């Protein structure tokens, strides 16, 4: 997909059923230590159609995720951005990408820019709600990591935001997300303290279906081996 002279990490992929294409995104690490977000369009057989840059600049971008909006025939790529360039504050950004490649009129936009750092974003598009849903984990110095979620309107405007999982006892990290169109709800899964896996089911209105579920509880010990 890419044989440029740099190091490449953390690929993510989305499928465009309307055009029977894939979009693969990843971040590059250059010799200067600055990361950028790149992408490649592939046909249904996996052949590269085109490549392009999603986001680059003087400071690093990393950890991309991507989903496809079938209503508008375009993608949302989300990624983290080293706001000060020194690794002290990674913020969450996104960019809408038309099916054929970047449009200068659709520039990157902030999703979450608090003073703590955002990591490991994941994103899905919901045709039932006609929104994008993003989840990620926040890392705050001297505090436990939490999982947050935020709805993004199709035009690239952030909407509701909330905490999916967080308390004073556990660290919650590495979320992933899926959308169920039959019940119009989302399931987010994440690590708790690096040893357990938990899930929560919720709607776009920030309504949870009961408490978090410990996946390991099926064996009666909280963590199966």
């Amino acid at each position: 997909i890419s044989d440029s002279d740099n190091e490449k990490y953390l690929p993510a992929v989305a499928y465009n059923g309307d055009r029977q294409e894939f979009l693969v995104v990843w971040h590059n690490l250059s010799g200067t230590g600055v990361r950028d977000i790149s992408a490649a369009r592939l046909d249904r057989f996996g052949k590269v159609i085109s490549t392009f840059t999603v986001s680059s600049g003087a400071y690093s971008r990393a950890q991309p995720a991507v989903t496809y909006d079938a209503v508008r025939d375009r993608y949302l790529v989300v990624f983290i951005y080293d706001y000060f360039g020194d690794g002290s504050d990674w913020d969450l950004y996104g960019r809408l990408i038309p099916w054929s490649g970047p449009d200068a009129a659709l520039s990157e936009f902030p999703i979450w820019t608090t003073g703590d750092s955002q990591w490991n974003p994941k994103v899905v598009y919901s045709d039932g709600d006609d929104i994008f849903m993003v989840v990620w984990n926040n890392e705050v110095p001297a505090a436990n990591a939490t999982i947050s979620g935020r709805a993004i309107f199709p035009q690239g405007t952030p909407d509701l935001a909330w905490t999916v999982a967080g308390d004073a006892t556990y660290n919650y990290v590495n979320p992933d997300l899926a959308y169920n169109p039959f019940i119009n709800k989302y399931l987010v899964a994440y690590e708790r303290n690096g040893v357990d896996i938990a899930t929560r089911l919720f709607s776009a209105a920030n309504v949870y279906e009961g408490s978090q579920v410990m996946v390991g509880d099926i064996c009666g010990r909280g963590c199966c081996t």
Side-chain angles (χ1 to χ4, degrees):
I1 293 176
S2 173
D3 57 1
S4 56
D5 190 18
N6 54 34
E7 298 177 21
K8 304 157 192 68
Y9 296 95
L10 299 176
V13 61
Y15 178 63
N16 176 339
D18 295 329
R19 300 182 183 275
Q20 298 186 51
E21 293 183 5
F22 300 93
L23 185 70
V24 181
V25 297
W26 65 90
H27 78 242
N28 299 296
L29 176 59
S30 68
T32 64
V34 177
R35 299 167 178 83
D36 63 73
I37 308 299
S38 292
R41 288 173 57 211
L42 280 66
D43 67 17
R44 58 179 175 167
F45 301 108
K47 180 181 178 180
V48 175
I49 302 170
S50 65
T51 61
F52 52 85
T53 298
V54 174
S55 180
S56 64
Y59 299 155
S60 285
R61 284 90 163 149
Q63 297 184 349
V66 59
T67 191
Y68 175 65
D69 172 0
V71 175
R72 295 161 190 84
D73 198 12
R74 64 188 183 188
Y75 305 87
L76 175 62
V77 182
V78 298
F79 51 90
I80 60 173
Y81 168 57
D82 188 2
Y83 187 79
F84 295 112
D86 60 6
S88 64
D89 180 11
W90 288 86
D91 290 334
L92 183 59
Y93 275 67
R95 186 177 182 186
L96 295 166
I97 303 291
W99 70 271
S100 56
D103 181 343
L106 297 171
S107 59
E108 60 188 60
F109 59 90
I111 296 174
W112 198 252
T113 59
T114 55
D116 53 354
S117 285
Q118 285 67 61
W119 296 93
N120 304 313
K122 295 293 186 291
V123 59
V124 296
Y125 171 73
S126 154
D127 52 6
D129 294 314
D130 193 24
I131 60 169
F132 299 103
M133 187 66 70
V134 185
V135 294
W136 67 92
N137 66 267
N138 304 288
E139 294 193 5
V140 183
N144 290 324
T146 62
I147 304 292
S148 291
R150 186 157 209 181
I152 309 293
F153 289 122
Q155 296 77 18
T157 305
D159 189 31
L160 295 171
W162 61 89
T163 298
V164 176
D167 54 51
T169 304
Y170 301 107
N171 280 306
Y172 299 94
V173 297
N174 295 330
D176 204 356
L177 182 69
Y179 171 66
N180 183 341
F182 297 102
I183 60 172
N184 199 33
K185 296 186 185 299
Y186 308 81
L187 183 74
V188 59
Y190 45 88
E191 296 179 18
R192 190 183 78 164
N193 266 21
V195 295
D196 294 328
I197 302 297
T199 64
R200 292 199 81 168
L201 189 68
F202 64 93
S203 71
N206 187 12
V207 176
Y208 294 110
E209 296 294 311
S211 60
Q212 70 176 348
V213 175
M214 300 302 298
V215 176
D217 280 350
I218 59 174
C219 66
R221 296 187 293 110
C223 180
C224 295
T225 56

